[in-house]
Amino acid sequence: MLSVPSYLPPWPFSFISIPSSVHVCYCRGAVILDTNITLLVAADKFRYVFWALQHDEFDPNLIVCGVGHTLATVNKLTGEFITIAGDVNGGLGYVEGVGSVARFNSVTGVTQTRAHYLVSDSNNNCIRSVRRNNHETTTFAGRCKSNGTNDGPLLTARLMLPRGLTKYSDEIFYLCDHISVRIIDLSTGYLRTYLYQTQSNRLYNTVIQPSGDVFISANHGVLQSAAYGAQWITGGPTEGVGCDSCSLSTASFYEPWGISFLTPTVLLMTDVRYRGLRVLNISSKTAYSTSLPVLRFPTCLLVDHHTNTIYIGEWETEGGGLRKLPFSGEE
């Protein structure tokens, strides 16, 4: 097991109040979201399923997205959709190459280095690297089309349905890999198991609290890393239908794929089958359902603390899309 690095990730977010015309309220410290949802990018058919979202580190107006079997960007201001690697109109597969020549099999996680985009190529069981300067796709970790669970040097290690990718620092990345959380360490070129789940609950994404604690969205709840494994802070192995307002210990969930911090102690989650967003207040140990219009199976989310906007990726059998939602940055 590899312990959480002693250095803490930066917390650069500033909380800015949005105009008073946007109506928000607070319930025992948990943020209740406005219902002003705007469709930013409409999509059709499976190829436009939004699986992963992240800010582009070098252009604040862009969101980097895992969309179906492609890596793409969406402009926050205009909604313009541009494919970086893979062909949104083409098929899935495993092909190395530049731009639209490359093929992926479900891009379910996205993160970045200074020179590359890194993506979880889930059904190919590997991590792919896409160069920023020429959009060339190569294999970064694991062996594509060969699954496994062993640790080791990046290309020697094996992965099993990798999903969420979370950047901890310029050298440390967390990866959800079926029932494990793995750590990619660029300083050593090594991939290690950080947390192994003996239960069969699928792990989806990780998020890191300013204190350094790691929270993991899973079927059917949220786990927090502990000295010897992980413990459920809400939900558990059995799926449930949720609640409008209840304690974390009694809350239940179906499939909370997306997870992010609204404030240092308030988590926001997507619940795919529930078709909504959940608010978890870690301080007060309470969970809330948001009174939002029904979403199309929300798969992933991105919280932009600079503009107080939440971006929600969606999936549905006949389409998907990217929606944005304002929230209050005041605590």
Side-chain angles (χ1 to χ4, degrees), residues 24-315:
V24 296
C25 63
Y26 300 89
C27 186
R28 282 179 281 174
V31 180
I32 303 301
L33 306 172
D34 191 356
T35 58
N36 181 20
I37 296 179
T38 302
L39 182 63
L40 186 63
V41 177
D44 60 2
K45 304 303 179 185
F46 179 78
R47 62 181 180 266
Y48 290 105
V49 176
F50 281 80
W51 295 121
L53 302 171
Q54 193 183 64
H55 299 288
D56 189 295
E57 294 183 0
F58 294 94
D59 188 337
N61 291 327
L62 294 182
I63 301 172
V64 184
C65 312
V67 187
H69 311 302
T70 64
L71 180 68
T73 60
V74 172
N75 190 298
K76 297 178 186 178
L77 304 179
T78 65
E80 182 182 15
F81 181 96
I82 297 177
T83 301
I84 296 175
D87 184 356
V88 76
N89 296 307
L92 55 85
Y94 167 63
V95 178
E96 310 279 52
V98 176
S100 61
V101 172
R103 290 291 181 272
F104 303 86
N105 196 343
S106 296
V107 178
T108 55
V110 176
T111 191
Q112 301 166 63
T113 69
R114 295 188 63 85
H116 301 86
Y117 301 105
L118 302 180
V119 302
S120 297
D121 192 351
S122 184
N123 291 340
N124 278 330
N125 294 302
C126 57
I127 304 299
R128 313 284 290 279
S129 170
V130 181
R131 293 187 64 87
R132 288 182 180 274
N133 60 356
N134 65 355
H135 297 172
E136 180 185 10
T137 297
T138 57
T139 300
F140 180 79
R143 178 182 293 173
C144 295
K145 303 179 72 174
S146 176
N147 63 46
T149 59
N150 60 289
D151 295 344
L154 295 180
L155 293 177
T156 303
R158 293 293 176 264
L159 303 173
M160 180 75 74
L161 300 174
R163 195 174 173 86
L165 272 168
T166 301
K167 185 173 184 177
Y168 190 95
S169 71
D170 287 339
E171 296 181 335
I172 301 292
F173 299 83
Y174 286 82
L175 165 68
C176 280
D177 175 24
H178 197 51
I179 60 173
S180 301
V181 176
R182 317 287 289 275
I183 285 183
I184 297 172
D185 188 339
L186 298 188
S187 66
T188 63
Y190 209 80
L191 188 148
R192 314 179 173 273
T193 299
Y194 165 66
L195 170 71
Y196 178 75
Q197 262 273 100
T198 57
Q199 298 169 330
S200 60
N201 294 81
R202 178 72 190 274
L203 306 183
Y204 295 119
N205 275 290
T206 59
V207 64
I208 303 166
Q209 201 176 24
S211 64
D213 288 340
V214 180
F215 292 80
I216 306 140
S217 62
N219 273 2
H220 301 278
V222 177
L223 292 154
Q224 182 178 3
S225 62
Y228 302 99
Q231 59 188 9
W232 293 99
I233 65 164
T234 187
T238 304
E239 66 183 26
V241 296
C243 65
D244 292 330
S245 177
C246 60
S247 67
L248 292 183
S249 61
T250 60
S252 58
F253 308 88
Y254 275 115
E255 295 179 334
W257 287 7
I259 184 170
S260 187
F261 276 103
L262 274 174
T263 76
T265 59
V266 176
L267 275 169
L268 182 67
M269 297 192 326
T270 62
D271 196 329
V272 177
R273 290 197 207 175
Y274 175 76
R275 299 196 184 194
L277 302 182
R278 305 290 192 87
V279 180
L280 307 181
N281 190 314
I282 299 169
S283 295
S284 64
K285 300 185 185 304
T286 48
Y288 305 90
S289 298
T290 58
S291 56
L292 299 173
V294 173
L295 299 168
R296 292 180 169 187
F297 297 105
T299 53
C300 55
L301 60 86
L302 175 69
V303 178
D304 186 346
H305 289 87
H306 297 290
T307 62
N308 288 350
T309 304
I310 299 162
Y311 295 90
I312 307 163
E314 294 180 301
W315 164 78

